[in-house]
């Protein structure tokens, strides 16, 4: 099973800032990587799939990049509604599609 | 618009069987390419995929839990049911059902989740 790691575990930022979250896979997953946003008590939300394709309805301030083992999620200008936990998930070895431990973005 | 909602008990005793129901709308599980998954998150831990079922009744299970999981669908009711047998406290967590992006591998719509505690 591919092991996914994310860094940092917590990222403190302010509205308007550009933030970059990292995700690393223990082996190549090609471009088969997704990003999700999760707020407490809410359903997780798919942001990015195929490493760089925004899901339907996702604002263009969210962008994904990377391939093989190194991936990045960038929020170009952090909005108040973006404070949440972000998970990456590989879906190359499908199933199971291993999730990373998450990065919490807070004030 | 696709929506999903989980339902089931909040408290289960060790060794009992846990049955969770996912009720969904916005798609049909007898349409080619459609699939629904169950994912859980133990407290303080990462999300973990448990199982999914395809429109053609093909099923996939997490290897480590394969002997304890059963996933079924009822297309007439737009429901998917996950059964977990012989539960123990490590099965405590929030259980989510999710729609799998058609012909894809990402979970594009999720329910809000249901918290299940396994305790005597």
């Amino acid at each position: 099973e591919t092991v996914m790691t994310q860094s940092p575990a917590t990222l403190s930022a302010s509205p308007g800032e550009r933030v970059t979250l990292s995700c690393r896979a223990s082996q190549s997953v090609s471009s088969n990587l997704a990003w999700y946003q999760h707020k407490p008590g809410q359903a997780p939300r798919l942001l990015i799939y195929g490493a760089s394709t925004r899901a339907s309805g996702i604002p263009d301030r969210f962008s994904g990049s990377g391939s093989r083992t190194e991936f990045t999620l960038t929020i170009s200008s952090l909005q108040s509604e973006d404070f949440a936990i972000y998970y990456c998930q590989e879906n190359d070895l499908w199933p199971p599609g291993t999730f990373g431990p998450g990065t919490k973005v807070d004030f | 618009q696709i929506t999903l909602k989980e339902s089931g008990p909040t408290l289960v005793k060790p060794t009992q069987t846990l049955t969770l129901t996912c009720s969904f709308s916005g798609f049909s599980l007898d349409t080619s390419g459609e699939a629904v998954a169950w994912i859980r998150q133990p407290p303080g831990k990462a999300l973990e995929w448990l199982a999914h079922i395809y429109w053609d009744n093909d099923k996939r299970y997490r290897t480590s839990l394969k002997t304890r999981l059963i996933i079924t669908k009822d297309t007439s009711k737009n429901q998917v049911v996950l059964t977990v047998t012989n539960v123990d406290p490590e099965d405590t967590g929030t259980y989510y059902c999710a729609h799998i992006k058609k012909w894809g591998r990402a979970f594009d719509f999720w329910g809000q989740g249901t918290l299940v505690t396994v305790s005597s």
Side-chain angles (χ1 to χ4, degrees):
Chain A
E1 184 173 299
T2 302
V3 176
M4 307 300 292
T5 56
Q6 291 185 243
S7 61
T10 303
L11 190 157
S12 296
S14 300
E17 281 189 36
R18 178 184 180 92
V19 298
T20 301
L21 286 61
S22 295
C23 173
R24 177 175 290 180
S26 61
Q27 59 186 311
S28 176
V29 298
S30 186
S31 294
N32 295 310
L33 186 106
W35 289 94
Y36 300 88
Q37 178 192 66
H38 191 198
K39 299 178 184 178
Q42 297 188 19
R45 178 188 182 195
L46 175 66
L47 299 175
I48 301 285
Y49 62 94
S52 61
T53 303
R54 270 189 301 275
S56 178
I58 301 303
D60 61 7
R61 65 179 181 273
F62 291 94
S63 63
S65 64
S67 65
R68 297 180 58 80
T69 62
E70 301 282 345
F71 300 89
T72 298
L73 175 70
T74 300
I75 308 173
S76 60
S77 178
L78 198 65
Q79 305 297 301
S80 58
E81 62 266 30
D82 300 337
F83 292 95
I85 301 174
Y86 293 83
Y87 296 97
C88 62
Q89 178 226 352
E90 69 84 11
N91 45 46
D92 187 59
L93 296 178
W94 173 268
T98 307
F99 290 87
T103 290
K104 182 178 182 180
V105 176
D106 65 10
F107 275 111
Chain B
Q1 176 70 350
I2 291 174
T3 64
L4 305 101
K5 186 173 183 179
E6 307 85 354
S7 60
T10 57
L11 180 64
V12 184
K13 290 180 168 36
T15 75
Q16 289 186 338
T17 295
L18 168 65
T19 301
L20 297 169
T21 300
C22 175
S23 301
F24 58 84
S25 63
F27 67 99
S28 176
L29 246 187
D30 58 11
T31 298
S32 181
E34 298 289 5
V36 171
W38 281 96
I39 297 149
R40 74 179 179 186
Q41 186 169 36
K45 296 186 178 180
L47 293 158
E48 61 181 17
W49 166 85
L50 297 176
H52 62 248
I53 186 166
Y54 291 96
W55 83 99
D56 60 358
N57 211 37
D58 186 20
K59 303 168 187 179
R60 296 285 185 264
Y61 295 101
R62 189 174 190 85
T63 302
S64 59
L65 296 171
K66 190 173 184 177
T67 59
R68 298 174 50 223
L69 298 177
I70 301 170
I71 190 169
T72 59
K73 63 182 175 77
D74 185 334
T75 52
S76 66
K77 294 182 180 179
N78 281 349
Q79 291 181 336
V80 171
V81 174
L82 180 74
T83 301
V84 185
T85 62
N86 192 27
V87 297
D88 73 12
E90 290 197 350
D91 294 310
T92 293
T94 299
Y95 286 73
Y96 300 92
C97 62
H99 176 265
I100 297 175
K101 189 169 173 56
K102 200 171 180 180
W103 302 115
R105 299 177 176 184
F107 306 111
D108 58 353
F109 294 95
W110 297 58
Q112 289 193 323
T114 186
L115 176 61
V116 177
T117 301
V118 179
S119 173
S120 55

PDB file of all heavy atoms in Angstrom, chain B residues 6 18 20 38-41 50 82 84 90-97 112-116 118:
ATOM      1  N   GLU B   6     -25.911   9.245   5.465  1.00  0.00           N
ATOM      2  CA  GLU B   6     -25.696   8.022   6.206  1.00  0.00           C
ATOM      3  C   GLU B   6     -26.651   7.927   7.390  1.00  0.00           C
ATOM      4  O   GLU B   6     -26.998   8.947   7.994  1.00  0.00           O
ATOM      5  CB  GLU B   6     -24.257   7.966   6.738  1.00  0.00           C
ATOM      6  CG  GLU B   6     -23.168   8.178   5.717  1.00  0.00           C
ATOM      7  CD  GLU B   6     -22.851   9.648   5.463  1.00  0.00           C
ATOM      8  OE1 GLU B   6     -23.566  10.519   6.013  1.00  0.00           O
ATOM      9  OE2 GLU B   6     -21.899   9.950   4.727  1.00  0.00           O
ATOM     10  N   LEU B  18     -22.645  -4.146  13.048  1.00  0.00           N
ATOM     11  CA  LEU B  18     -23.014  -2.764  12.738  1.00  0.00           C
ATOM     12  C   LEU B  18     -23.580  -2.718  11.321  1.00  0.00           C
ATOM     13  O   LEU B  18     -22.949  -3.226  10.381  1.00  0.00           O
ATOM     14  CB  LEU B  18     -21.774  -1.869  12.833  1.00  0.00           C
ATOM     15  CG  LEU B  18     -21.876  -0.453  12.275  1.00  0.00           C
ATOM     16  CD1 LEU B  18     -22.876   0.366  13.072  1.00  0.00           C
ATOM     17  CD2 LEU B  18     -20.495   0.207  12.276  1.00  0.00           C
ATOM     18  N   LEU B  20     -25.014  -0.001   8.527  1.00  0.00           N
ATOM     19  CA  LEU B  20     -25.126   1.404   8.129  1.00  0.00           C
ATOM     20  C   LEU B  20     -25.794   1.491   6.759  1.00  0.00           C
ATOM     21  O   LEU B  20     -25.518   0.668   5.880  1.00  0.00           O
ATOM     22  CB  LEU B  20     -23.747   2.045   8.063  1.00  0.00           C
ATOM     23  CG  LEU B  20     -22.978   2.124   9.373  1.00  0.00           C
ATOM     24  CD1 LEU B  20     -21.535   2.519   9.120  1.00  0.00           C
ATOM     25  CD2 LEU B  20     -23.635   3.121  10.319  1.00  0.00           C
ATOM     26  N   TRP B  38     -17.859   3.387   0.895  1.00  0.00           N
ATOM     27  CA  TRP B  38     -17.883   3.696   2.321  1.00  0.00           C
ATOM     28  C   TRP B  38     -16.441   3.989   2.748  1.00  0.00           C
ATOM     29  O   TRP B  38     -15.514   3.251   2.386  1.00  0.00           O
ATOM     30  CB  TRP B  38     -18.437   2.535   3.138  1.00  0.00           C
ATOM     31  CG  TRP B  38     -19.925   2.439   3.099  1.00  0.00           C
ATOM     32  CD1 TRP B  38     -20.687   1.656   2.267  1.00  0.00           C
ATOM     33  CD2 TRP B  38     -20.864   3.144   3.924  1.00  0.00           C
ATOM     34  NE1 TRP B  38     -22.029   1.836   2.519  1.00  0.00           N
ATOM     35  CE2 TRP B  38     -22.156   2.745   3.541  1.00  0.00           C
ATOM     36  CE3 TRP B  38     -20.734   4.074   4.966  1.00  0.00           C
ATOM     37  CZ2 TRP B  38     -23.312   3.250   4.147  1.00  0.00           C
ATOM     38  CZ3 TRP B  38     -21.875   4.574   5.567  1.00  0.00           C
ATOM     39  CH2 TRP B  38     -23.152   4.162   5.160  1.00  0.00           C
ATOM     40  N   ILE B  39     -16.309   5.047   3.531  1.00  0.00           N
ATOM     41  CA  ILE B  39     -15.022   5.514   4.030  1.00  0.00           C
ATOM     42  C   ILE B  39     -15.222   5.848   5.502  1.00  0.00           C
ATOM     43  O   ILE B  39     -16.296   6.331   5.880  1.00  0.00           O
ATOM     44  CB  ILE B  39     -14.595   6.783   3.255  1.00  0.00           C
ATOM     45  CG1 ILE B  39     -14.401   6.452   1.765  1.00  0.00           C
ATOM     46  CG2 ILE B  39     -13.321   7.392   3.846  1.00  0.00           C
ATOM     47  CD1 ILE B  39     -14.707   7.609   0.842  1.00  0.00           C
ATOM     48  N   ARG B  40     -14.228   5.595   6.337  1.00  0.00           N
ATOM     49  CA  ARG B  40     -14.378   5.957   7.741  1.00  0.00           C
ATOM     50  C   ARG B  40     -13.162   6.719   8.230  1.00  0.00           C
ATOM     51  O   ARG B  40     -12.101   6.703   7.608  1.00  0.00           O
ATOM     52  CB  ARG B  40     -14.603   4.721   8.601  1.00  0.00           C
ATOM     53  CG  ARG B  40     -13.368   3.858   8.818  1.00  0.00           C
ATOM     54  CD  ARG B  40     -13.687   2.666   9.699  1.00  0.00           C
ATOM     55  NE  ARG B  40     -12.507   1.825   9.897  1.00  0.00           N
ATOM     56  CZ  ARG B  40     -12.525   0.660  10.528  1.00  0.00           C
ATOM     57  NH1 ARG B  40     -13.673   0.195  11.051  1.00  0.00           N
ATOM     58  NH2 ARG B  40     -11.411  -0.038  10.669  1.00  0.00           N
ATOM     59  N   GLN B  41     -13.362   7.389   9.365  1.00  0.00           N
ATOM     60  CA  GLN B  41     -12.270   8.125   9.988  1.00  0.00           C
ATOM     61  C   GLN B  41     -12.304   7.878  11.489  1.00  0.00           C
ATOM     62  O   GLN B  41     -13.153   8.442  12.193  1.00  0.00           O
ATOM     63  CB  GLN B  41     -12.369   9.619   9.694  1.00  0.00           C
ATOM     64  CG  GLN B  41     -11.178  10.404  10.203  1.00  0.00           C
ATOM     65  CD  GLN B  41     -11.150  11.815   9.678  1.00  0.00           C
ATOM     66  OE1 GLN B  41     -12.190  12.450   9.503  1.00  0.00           O
ATOM     67  NE2 GLN B  41      -9.947  12.326   9.423  1.00  0.00           N
ATOM     68  N   LEU B  50     -13.173   1.783   2.902  1.00  0.00           N
ATOM     69  CA  LEU B  50     -13.578   0.473   3.387  1.00  0.00           C
ATOM     70  C   LEU B  50     -14.050  -0.461   2.258  1.00  0.00           C
ATOM     71  O   LEU B  50     -13.667  -1.632   2.203  1.00  0.00           O
ATOM     72  CB  LEU B  50     -14.709   0.620   4.396  1.00  0.00           C
ATOM     73  CG  LEU B  50     -14.399   1.393   5.681  1.00  0.00           C
ATOM     74  CD1 LEU B  50     -15.650   1.522   6.530  1.00  0.00           C
ATOM     75  CD2 LEU B  50     -13.254   0.733   6.450  1.00  0.00           C
ATOM     76  N   LEU B  82     -23.848  -1.032   4.338  1.00  0.00           N
ATOM     77  CA  LEU B  82     -22.576  -1.615   4.758  1.00  0.00           C
ATOM     78  C   LEU B  82     -22.797  -2.329   6.082  1.00  0.00           C
ATOM     79  O   LEU B  82     -23.319  -1.744   7.031  1.00  0.00           O
ATOM     80  CB  LEU B  82     -21.493  -0.547   4.937  1.00  0.00           C
ATOM     81  CG  LEU B  82     -20.140  -1.106   5.388  1.00  0.00           C
ATOM     82  CD1 LEU B  82     -19.462  -1.819   4.215  1.00  0.00           C
ATOM     83  CD2 LEU B  82     -19.239   0.009   5.927  1.00  0.00           C
ATOM     84  N   VAL B  84     -20.808  -4.394   9.108  1.00  0.00           N
ATOM     85  CA  VAL B  84     -19.522  -4.700   9.723  1.00  0.00           C
ATOM     86  C   VAL B  84     -19.796  -5.683  10.854  1.00  0.00           C
ATOM     87  O   VAL B  84     -20.500  -5.364  11.817  1.00  0.00           O
ATOM     88  CB  VAL B  84     -18.832  -3.441  10.290  1.00  0.00           C
ATOM     89  CG1 VAL B  84     -17.442  -3.788  10.804  1.00  0.00           C
ATOM     90  CG2 VAL B  84     -18.784  -2.323   9.262  1.00  0.00           C
ATOM     91  N   GLU B  90     -11.899  -0.491  17.996  1.00  0.00           N
ATOM     92  CA  GLU B  90     -11.137   0.116  16.887  1.00  0.00           C
ATOM     93  C   GLU B  90     -12.019   0.457  15.686  1.00  0.00           C
ATOM     94  O   GLU B  90     -11.570   1.149  14.770  1.00  0.00           O
ATOM     95  CB  GLU B  90     -10.004  -0.812  16.459  1.00  0.00           C
ATOM     96  CG  GLU B  90      -8.897  -0.920  17.494  1.00  0.00           C
ATOM     97  CD  GLU B  90      -7.618  -1.498  16.923  1.00  0.00           C
ATOM     98  OE1 GLU B  90      -7.628  -1.985  15.777  1.00  0.00           O
ATOM     99  OE2 GLU B  90      -6.597  -1.477  17.643  1.00  0.00           O
ATOM    100  N   ASP B  91     -13.243  -0.007  15.697  1.00  0.00           N
ATOM    101  CA  ASP B  91     -14.178   0.360  14.625  1.00  0.00           C
ATOM    102  C   ASP B  91     -14.906   1.668  14.931  1.00  0.00           C
ATOM    103  O   ASP B  91     -15.728   2.126  14.137  1.00  0.00           O
ATOM    104  CB  ASP B  91     -15.204  -0.762  14.415  1.00  0.00           C
ATOM    105  CG  ASP B  91     -14.563  -2.040  13.877  1.00  0.00           C
ATOM    106  OD1 ASP B  91     -13.818  -1.943  12.887  1.00  0.00           O
ATOM    107  OD2 ASP B  91     -14.802  -3.116  14.467  1.00  0.00           O
ATOM    108  N   THR B  92     -14.604   2.256  16.068  1.00  0.00           N
ATOM    109  CA  THR B  92     -15.177   3.554  16.402  1.00  0.00           C
ATOM    110  C   THR B  92     -14.687   4.603  15.427  1.00  0.00           C
ATOM    111  O   THR B  92     -13.506   4.648  15.086  1.00  0.00           O
ATOM    112  CB  THR B  92     -14.775   3.959  17.842  1.00  0.00           C
ATOM    113  OG1 THR B  92     -15.394   3.059  18.760  1.00  0.00           O
ATOM    114  CG2 THR B  92     -15.188   5.386  18.156  1.00  0.00           C
ATOM    115  N   GLY B  93     -15.608   5.450  14.990  1.00  0.00           N
ATOM    116  CA  GLY B  93     -15.220   6.519  14.076  1.00  0.00           C
ATOM    117  C   GLY B  93     -16.416   7.078  13.338  1.00  0.00           C
ATOM    118  O   GLY B  93     -17.556   6.669  13.563  1.00  0.00           O
ATOM    119  N   THR B  94     -16.137   8.048  12.480  1.00  0.00           N
ATOM    120  CA  THR B  94     -17.175   8.612  11.627  1.00  0.00           C
ATOM    121  C   THR B  94     -17.162   7.863  10.299  1.00  0.00           C
ATOM    122  O   THR B  94     -16.117   7.735   9.674  1.00  0.00           O
ATOM    123  CB  THR B  94     -16.935  10.111  11.403  1.00  0.00           C
ATOM    124  OG1 THR B  94     -16.969  10.775  12.670  1.00  0.00           O
ATOM    125  CG2 THR B  94     -18.020  10.699  10.514  1.00  0.00           C
ATOM    126  N   TYR B  95     -18.317   7.402   9.918  1.00  0.00           N
ATOM    127  CA  TYR B  95     -18.472   6.627   8.687  1.00  0.00           C
ATOM    128  C   TYR B  95     -19.152   7.497   7.635  1.00  0.00           C
ATOM    129  O   TYR B  95     -20.203   8.093   7.893  1.00  0.00           O
ATOM    130  CB  TYR B  95     -19.291   5.365   8.945  1.00  0.00           C
ATOM    131  CG  TYR B  95     -18.522   4.303   9.687  1.00  0.00           C
ATOM    132  CD1 TYR B  95     -18.237   4.452  11.052  1.00  0.00           C
ATOM    133  CD2 TYR B  95     -18.062   3.161   9.048  1.00  0.00           C
ATOM    134  CE1 TYR B  95     -17.510   3.483  11.744  1.00  0.00           C
ATOM    135  CE2 TYR B  95     -17.342   2.177   9.728  1.00  0.00           C
ATOM    136  CZ  TYR B  95     -17.074   2.353  11.073  1.00  0.00           C
ATOM    137  OH  TYR B  95     -16.355   1.398  11.757  1.00  0.00           O
ATOM    138  N   TYR B  96     -18.528   7.566   6.468  1.00  0.00           N
ATOM    139  CA  TYR B  96     -19.047   8.355   5.347  1.00  0.00           C
ATOM    140  C   TYR B  96     -19.382   7.441   4.172  1.00  0.00           C
ATOM    141  O   TYR B  96     -18.661   6.471   3.913  1.00  0.00           O
ATOM    142  CB  TYR B  96     -18.012   9.353   4.843  1.00  0.00           C
ATOM    143  CG  TYR B  96     -17.537  10.368   5.840  1.00  0.00           C
ATOM    144  CD1 TYR B  96     -16.405  10.130   6.628  1.00  0.00           C
ATOM    145  CD2 TYR B  96     -18.187  11.594   5.977  1.00  0.00           C
ATOM    146  CE1 TYR B  96     -15.954  11.073   7.534  1.00  0.00           C
ATOM    147  CE2 TYR B  96     -17.740  12.540   6.880  1.00  0.00           C
ATOM    148  CZ  TYR B  96     -16.625  12.270   7.647  1.00  0.00           C
ATOM    149  OH  TYR B  96     -16.177  13.218   8.541  1.00  0.00           O
ATOM    150  N   CYS B  97     -20.442   7.781   3.470  1.00  0.00           N
ATOM    151  CA  CYS B  97     -20.606   7.186   2.151  1.00  0.00           C
ATOM    152  C   CYS B  97     -20.329   8.270   1.116  1.00  0.00           C
ATOM    153  O   CYS B  97     -20.483   9.467   1.392  1.00  0.00           O
ATOM    154  CB  CYS B  97     -21.977   6.545   1.948  1.00  0.00           C
ATOM    155  SG  CYS B  97     -23.412   7.638   2.041  1.00  0.00           S
ATOM    156  N   GLN B 112     -22.509  13.651   5.077  1.00  0.00           N
ATOM    157  CA  GLN B 112     -21.929  14.370   6.211  1.00  0.00           C
ATOM    158  C   GLN B 112     -21.296  13.437   7.225  1.00  0.00           C
ATOM    159  O   GLN B 112     -20.555  13.890   8.105  1.00  0.00           O
ATOM    160  CB  GLN B 112     -22.999  15.227   6.889  1.00  0.00           C
ATOM    161  CG  GLN B 112     -23.419  16.425   6.055  1.00  0.00           C
ATOM    162  CD  GLN B 112     -24.234  17.422   6.843  1.00  0.00           C
ATOM    163  OE1 GLN B 112     -25.040  17.047   7.684  1.00  0.00           O
ATOM    164  NE2 GLN B 112     -24.030  18.707   6.568  1.00  0.00           N
ATOM    165  N   GLY B 113     -21.600  12.149   7.129  1.00  0.00           N
ATOM    166  CA  GLY B 113     -21.000  11.184   8.031  1.00  0.00           C
ATOM    167  C   GLY B 113     -21.878  10.895   9.239  1.00  0.00           C
ATOM    168  O   GLY B 113     -22.727  11.703   9.630  1.00  0.00           O
ATOM    169  N   THR B 114     -21.647   9.727   9.812  1.00  0.00           N
ATOM    170  CA  THR B 114     -22.348   9.344  11.030  1.00  0.00           C
ATOM    171  C   THR B 114     -21.334   8.765  12.003  1.00  0.00           C
ATOM    172  O   THR B 114     -20.503   7.923  11.629  1.00  0.00           O
ATOM    173  CB  THR B 114     -23.480   8.337  10.728  1.00  0.00           C
ATOM    174  OG1 THR B 114     -24.227   8.082  11.922  1.00  0.00           O
ATOM    175  CG2 THR B 114     -22.974   7.011  10.179  1.00  0.00           C
ATOM    176  N   LEU B 115     -21.367   9.255  13.230  1.00  0.00           N
ATOM    177  CA  LEU B 115     -20.408   8.830  14.251  1.00  0.00           C
ATOM    178  C   LEU B 115     -20.899   7.552  14.922  1.00  0.00           C
ATOM    179  O   LEU B 115     -22.023   7.501  15.428  1.00  0.00           O
ATOM    180  CB  LEU B 115     -20.206   9.930  15.288  1.00  0.00           C
ATOM    181  CG  LEU B 115     -19.294   9.596  16.469  1.00  0.00           C
ATOM    182  CD1 LEU B 115     -17.885   9.265  15.988  1.00  0.00           C
ATOM    183  CD2 LEU B 115     -19.286  10.752  17.462  1.00  0.00           C
ATOM    184  N   VAL B 116     -20.047   6.556  14.910  1.00  0.00           N
ATOM    185  CA  VAL B 116     -20.360   5.278  15.541  1.00  0.00           C
ATOM    186  C   VAL B 116     -19.343   5.016  16.646  1.00  0.00           C
ATOM    187  O   VAL B 116     -18.133   5.106  16.420  1.00  0.00           O
ATOM    188  CB  VAL B 116     -20.319   4.123  14.516  1.00  0.00           C
ATOM    189  CG1 VAL B 116     -20.572   2.795  15.214  1.00  0.00           C
ATOM    190  CG2 VAL B 116     -21.327   4.362  13.395  1.00  0.00           C
ATOM    191  N   VAL B 118     -18.074   2.190  19.414  1.00  0.00           N
ATOM    192  CA  VAL B 118     -18.142   0.788  19.832  1.00  0.00           C
ATOM    193  C   VAL B 118     -17.655   0.714  21.268  1.00  0.00           C
ATOM    194  O   VAL B 118     -16.481   0.960  21.566  1.00  0.00           O
ATOM    195  CB  VAL B 118     -17.294  -0.115  18.930  1.00  0.00           C
ATOM    196  CG1 VAL B 118     -17.385  -1.567  19.421  1.00  0.00           C
ATOM    197  CG2 VAL B 118     -17.758  -0.004  17.482  1.00  0.00           C
TER     198      VAL B 118
END
